[in-house]
Amino acid sequence: MMQDRFGGRAGAAAALALGVLAATGFEPLHWWPVALVAMGLFASLLARTTTVGRAAWLGWLFGLGHFTFGNNWIATAFTHQAQMPAVLGWAAVPLLAVYLAVYPAIAALGARAIAGPGRPRMLPLAFAGCWIVAELLRAGVFTGYSWNPFAMVLLGPWDRPGLAVLSPWMGTYALSGLAVLLSAVAVESVLGRKALPAAGVALLVIAGMLLPARPAPDGTLPVTVVQPNLPQARLGDPRFFEDNYLQLASLSPAARPGARPGTTRLLLWPESGLADYLRPGYPQRFYDSTTALGDPDFARRRIGRTIGTGSLLLTGAVDLEVQGGRAVGAYNSVTALDAAGTIRGSYTKAHLVPYGEYLPMREVLEPLGLSRLVPGAIDFLSGPGPQTLTLGPHGRAGVQICYEIVFSGEVADRHDRPDFIFNPSNDGWFGAFGPPQHLAQARMRAIEEGLPVLRATTTGISAVIDARGVVRHHLATGVAGRIDTVVPGALPPTIFAQTGNMLAFAWALLFLGLALVAVKRARP
């Protein structure tokens, strides 16, 4: 039996290895069959543990391997700053995984406690429900870290949604639970020599992953998405601020190819590409310093002339919180500018990146030599959350800056639904694995919300994603260019768009309720 072969150290090693294999289902590898089998094998291992404590330990080891491999791109961030040695990045990734692994441990402990000992067939439903709860907790505790929920292995290639087509009726975290359930049922059936259930699950998953996308609505609003391909080292270096602007401007002609002058157009610039402060009212020394190009009125007028009549620009920018003539914080913002250089609206990032945009427990960590991973001496401050910018003929924009797009259920104002979501980002410090994983999560938001997502990044991957999650246009990593197209249309509000993560929680309760009923019936 499995517990005989994989007890003690062998079981611990197996859990760690299965966690790594389960993470190969994420981009850019996307080995989803391997990931699903690995998750199913871990569920079977879990079902044969002798105690709930042993189950929690194996769940933690599974999570340690899973999050260390899945988050390997974080180590690259340490190569883009001078405050800490780059080698520290390779320690930071497993250290983060030490914490994140608590959530699979919670799921494993809960599932084993519900299913009881010696009942492997009772475990899949319990594990699925507990996994949903664990992912909901991971997305919320300590500001949350929801990167790569297990549902991402069910997202299809760029031209079709795969089994993520179910996310409008489930939400991403409940879809993770479904992936766990299908994996566990299939593997347990094989181990129990019941070929029919295993074959049925396999055929269902394969058919779902190959399912072509249903057509999404087309739109009419012209849009230009700009990817300047600015190396990370140039973004914070004042010597390149003017060159960076000229690169953005050169890819943003005042008239779209083939369009009449003055035609309505939306123009999208990424996060971090623009150095200018756009808002007036700061002490003059901030405009004259090496961190900005100069007068904000001039900066806005210059941008207005660049984009041309009829255009509206949404661009990443930095705003300041000034008190007593001193900058006490900053805001990672998106500013809407028209051709006259008038500010037409703005959005402030709500979900900030720990250690990237602020240093948690600064009073303790800074004396120890720890710093933020991106340039800047002051911390960013968080905004109020999702909001819709009403831009007249340029549509109604929801904005999610960079990392924010990964938070399922938190990307659009449910009471003021936008026409599309703009996701500007700086993925230049994400390494090779980060950008495709980031794009995949943006696709998942498009599917579950029924809204197109437009991504403008500094170095790639920029993309136009329709409301079915299909990537209609993209610019690869490491190239400078622009996308001239139209904003795809939105679908009617999905069930998930109307209910948010309460829907995922309801699915967790359903799975757990069914598991409890099955356990009760199985008792003598």
Side-chain angles (χ1 to χ4, degrees):
M1 294 178 68
M2 186 173 285
Q3 68 264 39
D4 296 327
R5 293 184 181 180
F6 293 103
R9 293 181 180 177
L16 188 68
L18 290 171
V20 173
L21 290 173
T24 64
F26 303 135
E27 296 286 354
L29 299 179
H30 201 216
W31 296 347
W32 58 267
V34 174
L36 293 173
V37 170
M39 180 62 81
L41 287 171
F42 175 70
S44 292
L45 179 66
L46 189 64
R48 290 162 172 80
T49 53
T50 54
T51 66
V52 293
R54 174 70 175 173
W57 169 241
L58 293 181
W60 185 85
L61 288 170
F62 177 90
L64 183 65
H66 189 68
F67 291 115
T68 297
F69 185 77
N71 290 321
N72 70 77
W73 54 270
I74 292 176
T76 309
F78 285 76
T79 67
H80 295 296
Q81 49 77 48
Q83 301 300 317
M84 294 177 286
V87 69
L88 188 59
W90 297 108
V93 173
L95 283 174
L96 175 62
V98 164
Y99 159 67
L100 295 176
V102 168
Y103 297 101
I106 291 171
L109 185 152
R112 176 61 177 73
I114 292 170
R119 293 173 176 166
R121 287 183 295 176
M122 299 294 106
L123 188 115
L125 274 169
F127 193 30
C130 289
W131 190 275
I132 297 170
V133 172
E135 285 201 345
L136 285 165
L137 289 172
R138 179 161 69 92
V141 175
F142 301 131
T143 76
Y145 183 82
S146 60
W147 192 275
N148 278 346
F150 192 64
M152 301 310 301
V153 306
L154 296 183
L155 181 66
W158 288 9
D159 63 341
R160 55 186 178 272
L163 280 172
V165 72
L166 300 175
S167 62
W169 293 273
M170 301 187 75
T172 294
Y173 305 131
L175 188 64
S176 293
L178 180 64
V180 168
L181 176 62
L182 294 174
S183 301
V185 167
V187 170
E188 192 58 48
S189 298
V190 170
L191 294 176
R193 294 183 174 85
K194 295 181 179 179
L196 191 58
V201 170
L203 288 174
L204 175 66
V205 172
I206 293 170
M209 295 301 288
L210 296 177
L211 190 71
R214 294 172 57 197
D218 292 320
T220 57
L221 175 63
V223 63
T224 297
V225 179
V226 173
Q227 179 173 296
N229 193 33
L230 302 176
Q232 196 68 18
R234 287 178 46 164
L235 295 179
D237 190 334
R239 295 174 300 173
F240 295 103
F241 285 171
E242 181 66 7
D243 289 342
N244 293 350
Y245 178 81
L246 293 176
Q247 176 74 339
L248 286 165
S250 70
L251 294 168
S252 310
R256 197 164 162 264
R260 296 191 309 273
T263 300
T264 298
R265 175 189 63 157
L266 187 66
L267 182 64
L268 304 178
W269 285 0
E271 177 192 32
S272 303
L274 183 69
D276 296 274
Y277 292 133
L278 299 177
R279 294 191 175 276
Y282 305 146
Q284 188 59 40
R285 67 179 182 277
F286 290 121
Y287 302 122
D288 293 338
S289 72
T290 58
T291 59
L293 290 175
D295 177 65
D297 294 327
F298 169 78
R300 294 196 308 273
R301 290 195 303 271
R302 180 166 75 155
I303 291 172
R305 290 194 299 270
T306 296
I307 67 177
T309 304
S311 293
L312 184 89
L313 172 69
L314 294 177
T315 180
V318 172
D319 296 333
L320 297 177
E321 178 71 22
V322 178
Q323 296 179 5
R326 185 172 65 91
V328 297
Y331 298 99
N332 189 348
S333 301
V334 162
T335 300
L337 286 174
D338 64 18
T342 302
I343 295 177
R344 295 273 302 279
S346 65
Y347 167 83
T348 299
K349 187 176 184 180
H351 264 294
L352 301 175
V353 182
Y355 303 99
E357 292 170 310
Y358 70 97
L359 184 64
M361 300 182 295
R362 178 176 286 275
E363 300 80 5
V364 175
L365 297 180
E366 198 167 39
L368 297 177
L370 295 177
S371 179
R372 281 172 37 193
L373 301 179
V374 294
I378 59 176
D379 285 338
F380 282 86
L381 307 174
S382 60
Q387 65 185 91
T388 298
L389 303 181
T390 301
L391 306 173
H394 299 91
R396 294 164 50 77
V399 180
Q400 291 291 288
I401 300 175
C402 195
Y403 167 74
E404 289 188 298
I405 199 71
V406 309
F407 287 89
S408 175
E410 301 179 45
V411 300
D413 186 344
R414 286 198 291 276
H415 305 293
D416 189 15
R417 183 172 166 83
D419 301 323
F420 61 89
I421 296 172
F422 174 42
N423 176 221
S425 186
N426 169 22
D427 286 3
W429 59 281
F430 276 15
F433 276 53
Q437 289 180 8
H438 205 183
L439 174 66
Q441 289 165 109
R443 291 181 59 208
M444 189 70 87
R445 299 294 83 76
I447 299 168
E448 66 185 4
E449 295 285 348
L451 291 171
V453 175
L454 311 175
R455 303 195 75 230
T457 69
T458 49
T459 57
I461 306 168
S462 299
V464 175
I465 306 165
D466 72 21
R468 302 285 187 196
V470 172
V471 179
R472 292 193 176 185
H473 310 278
H474 80 281
L475 292 167
T477 300
V479 301
R482 70 174 188 267
I483 299 170
D484 291 306
T485 184
V486 295
V487 179
L491 293 168
T494 65
I495 296 174
F496 180 82
Q498 297 174 69
T499 60
N501 283 321
M502 289 302 297
L503 180 62
F505 186 66
W507 277 97
L509 292 179
L510 175 62
F511 288 156
L512 291 172
L514 291 173
L516 289 170
V517 169
V519 168
K520 185 176 181 180
R521 288 183 174 179
R523 287 174 182 163

